[in-house]
């Protein structure tokens, strides 16, 4: 007897909810910005207002990277919103020690809109974030390490009520090395959350843009959606899917596990899995979509420079790339590189091009003060 890995009853309820949202007319705008009365949000008649949680997961050793990200968001070129959005910022620390370290650091930055404490003198966050929360995920010490931390943190967000009953319909998982490339990036992300609200998707993300060294299992890595993506948060069926794909205590990349689970439980390669187990979750493939809003490790950041790259990709709002972070810290990689284009074929054979080596192996310290593009 053929069976689905995700409970049929939950899938039926999920389809009913999707059908109800699709009956709403998504053409009227959800967004209303009035200078006289402040930010107000309205939804089309009989439609539930979407609500986005932007989650920044971090461990203690990533606190400085989170602070860099918050400082970047204060610059006019990268401010989160230019319109009205129904979104909260969740700074999700792996444990109490990580959260305490970040809170203490934010308290010292008294002029920042992300300052926390009574001594803060900076402007309020205004209409970009409805609220900002510091969340302690209470990750057990045995999981607080590379390889085990991210999958277990991600699983916890879907397996328990850790984000509270705040009515989130969508969640963006944005690791500290996920950077905006233009102002109004949160506006663009919220529009994708509206699309998800009216569509069938459980996940909207991007594929990897290059093959890592010694990475020949392309069926798992080339087509999987990178974990820095938008997820449906009000679907019990998707929560069940996550719990099956990411078992407690898992080590490794949770995004590839989510991808593999679309095709079944087996750890075989897709060439063997599809003929045998395609019936298990194949009916859920339409729940997973690709979007240009996020780029994962783009190869052409230096063709010929970062400014030109953002102009060539007007639909991209966020980039997951430590290389992008290196450029933001005023790395001179693009100026010193002779080849500009980062060749996937060289990476596949374990040979980094000059540009990629400079970006991914850069150890330059960030300049003090506001982050600037070189």
């Amino acid at each position: 007897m053929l069976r689905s890995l995700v409970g049929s009853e939950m899938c039926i309820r999920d389809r009913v909810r999707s059908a109800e949202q699709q009956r709403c007319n998504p053409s009227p705008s959800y967004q209303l910005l009035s200078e006289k009365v402040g930010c107000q949000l309205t939804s089309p008649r009989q439609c539930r207002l979407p609500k986005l949680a932007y989650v920044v997961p971090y461990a203690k050793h990533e606190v400085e990277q989170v602070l860099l990200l918050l400082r970047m968001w204060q610059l006019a070129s990268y401010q989160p919103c230019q319109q009205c959005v129904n979104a909260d910022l969740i700074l999700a620390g792996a444990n109490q020690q990580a959260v305490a370290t970040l809170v203490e650091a934010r308290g010292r930055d008294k002029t920042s809109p992300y300052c926390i404490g009574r001594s803060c003198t900076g402007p309020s966050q205004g209409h970009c974030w409805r609220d900002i929360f510091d969340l302690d995920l209470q990750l057990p010490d045995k999981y607080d390490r590379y390889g085990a931390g991210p999958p277990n943190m991600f699983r916890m967000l879907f397996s328990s009520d850790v984000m509270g009953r705040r009515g989130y319909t969508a969640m963006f998982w944005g690791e500290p090395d996920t950077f905006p490339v233009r102002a109004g990036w949160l506006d663009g992300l919220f529009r994708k959350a509206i699309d998800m609200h009216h569509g069938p998707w459980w996940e909207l993300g991007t594929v990897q843009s290059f093959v890592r060294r010694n990475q020949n299992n392309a069926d798992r890595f080339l087509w999987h959606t990178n974990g820095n993506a938008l997820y449906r948060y009000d679907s019990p069926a998707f929560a069940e899917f996550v719990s099956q794909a990411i078992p407690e205590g898992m080590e490794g990349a949770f995004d590839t596990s989510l991808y593999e689970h679309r095709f079944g439980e087996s750890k075989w390669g897709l060439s063997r899995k599809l003929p045998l187990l395609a019936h298990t979750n194949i009916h859920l493939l339409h729940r997973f979509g690709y979007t240009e809003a996020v780029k994962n490790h783009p190869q052409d950041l230096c063709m010929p420079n970062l400014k030109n790259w953002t102009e060539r990709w007007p639909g991209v709002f966020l980039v997951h790339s430590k290389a992008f972070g290196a450029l933001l810290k005023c790395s001179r990689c693009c100026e010193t590189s002779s080849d500009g284009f980062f060749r996937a074929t060289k990476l596949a054979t374990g040979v980094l091009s000059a540009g990629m080596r400079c970006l991914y192996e850069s150890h330059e310290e960030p300049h003090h003060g506001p982050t600037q593009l070189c």
Side-chain angles (χ1 to χ4, degrees):
M1 179 178 179
L2 303 184
R3 67 181 182 89
S4 167
L5 296 179
V6 177
S8 59
E9 183 178 348
M10 284 192 174
C11 280
I12 291 173
R13 292 207 306 265
D14 199 71
R15 285 197 296 270
V16 170
R17 180 177 299 186
S18 295
E20 290 174 351
Q21 289 301 328
Q22 288 169 5
R23 283 197 292 269
C24 294
N25 181 4
S27 58
S29 175
Y30 280 93
Q31 305 173 38
L32 174 65
L33 180 60
S34 171
E35 295 180 358
K36 293 183 179 180
V37 299
C39 180
Q40 294 183 350
L41 284 151
T42 60
S43 61
R45 186 180 178 183
Q46 297 180 341
C47 290
R48 179 187 175 193
L49 183 68
K51 188 173 183 181
L52 172 66
Y54 189 97
V55 176
V56 181
Y58 65 96
K60 183 182 177 182
H61 71 275
E62 295 174 304
V63 165
E64 286 300 320
Q65 182 63 55
V66 176
L67 292 172
L68 173 66
L69 197 62
L70 298 181
R71 288 195 295 269
M72 180 183 177
W73 292 352
Q74 298 173 51
L75 300 177
S77 298
Y78 303 105
Q79 64 181 8
C81 67
Q82 297 172 323
Q83 296 176 306
C84 221
V85 291
N86 194 26
D88 288 348
L89 173 62
I90 312 289
L91 300 171
N95 49 39
Q96 194 277 332
Q97 191 176 23
V99 173
T101 303
L102 180 60
V103 168
E104 181 184 0
R106 287 168 58 202
R108 293 194 299 267
D109 197 0
K110 302 185 187 306
T111 61
S112 167
Y114 295 95
C115 176
I116 187 170
R118 296 181 179 180
S119 60
C120 300
T121 60
S124 65
Q125 190 52 32
H127 62 266
C128 277
W129 304 107
R130 290 281 160 159
D131 215 334
I132 300 174
F133 298 100
D134 288 284
L135 176 63
D136 177 5
L137 288 176
Q138 301 179 1
L139 191 71
D141 291 341
K142 61 182 178 179
Y143 299 148
D144 187 15
R145 52 191 167 79
Y146 182 79
N152 286 282
M153 292 169 71
F154 187 89
R155 187 182 193 277
M156 289 173 68
L157 289 174
F158 283 92
S159 62
S160 61
D161 200 24
V162 294
M163 289 206 294
R165 301 182 182 278
R166 301 190 180 103
Y168 298 125
T169 60
M171 178 197 81
F172 186 86
W173 174 272
E175 293 168 355
D177 58 351
T178 299
F179 301 96
V181 297
R182 65 187 80 251
W185 56 270
L186 187 59
D187 299 331
L189 201 58
F190 186 62
R191 287 195 293 272
K192 293 298 179 183
I194 292 175
D195 292 342
M196 178 173 279
H197 195 53
H198 288 281
W201 302 289
W202 285 349
E203 180 182 12
L204 286 173
T206 181
V207 295
Q208 186 167 290
S209 298
F210 71 91
V211 182
R212 295 184 187 274
R213 286 182 288 183
N214 304 319
Q215 189 170 314
N216 298 318
N217 45 353
D219 61 344
R220 292 179 58 202
F221 287 93
L222 278 184
W223 306 114
H224 82 276
T225 307
N226 180 255
N228 293 272
L230 188 68
Y231 300 91
R232 188 76 181 239
Y233 198 71
D234 61 348
S235 167
F238 181 55
E240 182 181 353
F241 181 92
V242 170
S243 69
Q244 294 174 357
I246 308 174
E248 184 176 358
M250 173 189 163
E251 295 192 32
F254 72 84
D255 48 10
T256 55
S257 184
L258 287 174
Y259 172 72
E260 288 185 315
H261 200 64
R262 301 181 202 178
F263 305 98
E265 295 174 299
S266 174
K267 297 300 181 183
W268 297 334
L270 296 188
S271 61
R272 292 184 63 193
K273 181 187 300 182
L274 284 175
L276 299 175
L277 295 174
H279 62 275
T280 55
N281 276 336
I282 203 77
H283 62 290
L284 300 177
L285 288 183
H286 68 290
R287 298 286 189 177
F288 301 88
Y290 297 99
T291 176
E292 191 184 54
V294 188
K295 280 281 188 183
N296 180 39
H297 295 300
Q299 306 174 54
D300 52 347
L301 290 173
C302 288
M303 293 186 63
N305 54 51
L306 193 55
K307 182 176 183 297
N308 178 270
W309 187 90
T310 59
E311 292 172 350
R312 284 187 286 112
W313 295 98
V316 178
F317 301 107
L318 295 162
V319 165
H320 173 234
S321 169
K322 289 181 175 63
F324 195 91
L327 291 178
L328 292 173
K329 295 174 184 177
C330 289
S331 166
R332 300 294 179 183
C333 290
C334 288
E335 297 177 14
T336 59
S337 171
S338 60
D339 54 3
F341 186 71
F342 308 143
R343 304 181 187 280
T345 53
K346 290 186 178 181
L347 288 168
T349 59
V351 180
L352 291 175
S353 66
M356 183 68 89
R357 182 177 297 281
C358 180
L359 287 171
Y360 278 84
E361 297 183 3
S362 173
H363 298 290
E364 292 183 277
E365 294 296 324
H367 293 290
H368 296 290
T371 307
Q372 296 178 348
L373 286 174
C374 297

